[in-house]
Amino acid sequence: MIEIRRVSPDEYETVGDLTVGVYVGGGFVEPDDPYVGRLRDTATRDAQGEVVVAVADGEIVGSLTLAEPMSRLADIAEKDELELRMLAVAPEARRRGVGSALVRHGLDAAYERGDRAVVISTEPAMVDARRIYDRNGFVPVAERNWVPVPGVELTAMVRELV
């Protein structure tokens, strides 16, 4: 069974390590990239948005950041949208529904807030994450694709709720 809940301050370091491990270990971010600091800084992400964790057998096996539009965390969210950021699932917990449970939590949170859609950005190399988004009804919206830094092209995906 997978429990999804808000991260607690004593878990910030664990979540930061997990997130950095997934992004750097997966080859999505170089170890010396300044973005690594943002991935590691769970306390700031949780203060500016909401970080949730997936817990299985008493261990944190995944995390996700929820960002409201116009917040410092939101890159592409518009009015009445919730943005999902920094999805991370421990390699040993993959293919157990952890990523899908986290994404569904984000969809439920947006629905409860009355949002019209949920948005996320992904890289072409993030094949496992992309499967989760596809299964949960997200569709690419090419006109919202963007380049945060030269050489990194992100695909914007949207899941309409209404």
Side-chain angles (χ1 to χ4, degrees):
M1 176 161 178
I2 301 165
E3 174 193 6
I4 307 295
R5 61 168 172 75
R6 186 147 192 183
V7 67
S8 64
D10 63 315
E11 297 167 327
Y12 287 163
E13 185 175 350
T14 299
V15 171
D17 290 346
L18 169 67
T19 308
V20 169
V22 166
Y23 279 72
V24 172
F28 308 120
V29 178
E30 294 296 322
D32 59 348
D33 189 303
Y35 190 58
V36 169
R38 291 189 69 199
L39 293 169
R40 186 172 302 286
D41 190 358
T42 307
T44 298
R45 287 190 282 133
D46 196 43
Q48 294 175 350
E50 180 179 341
V51 176
V52 295
V53 293
V55 179
D57 300 321
E59 298 290 325
I60 293 175
V61 294
S63 69
L64 179 68
T65 301
L66 311 178
E68 295 184 22
M70 309 308 284
S71 73
R72 290 185 176 173
L73 287 173
D75 288 322
I76 64 170
E78 298 174 353
K79 184 179 185 297
D80 298 324
E81 292 180 338
L82 183 65
E83 186 166 342
L84 305 185
R85 301 279 320 271
M86 303 175 189
L87 174 66
V89 177
E92 65 276 9
R94 293 190 182 146
R95 307 225 182 272
R96 292 176 37 199
V98 173
S100 289
L102 286 162
V103 168
R104 282 193 305 272
H105 176 86
L107 292 169
D108 290 346
Y111 183 80
E112 289 172 13
R113 291 165 29 99
D115 289 326
R116 66 176 172 77
V118 177
V119 296
I120 194 158
S121 299
T122 187
E123 294 180 40
M126 295 178 167
V127 176
D128 291 339
R130 178 64 186 261
R131 266 196 303 271
I132 293 168
Y133 307 144
D134 289 342
R135 276 196 309 261
N136 281 282
F138 285 81
V139 295
V141 180
E143 60 270 16
R144 292 179 74 175
N145 290 354
W146 61 294
V147 178
V149 295
V152 177
E153 297 181 21
L154 298 178
T155 301
M157 300 187 75
V158 177
R159 162 71 192 278
E160 297 291 336
L161 298 177
V162 292

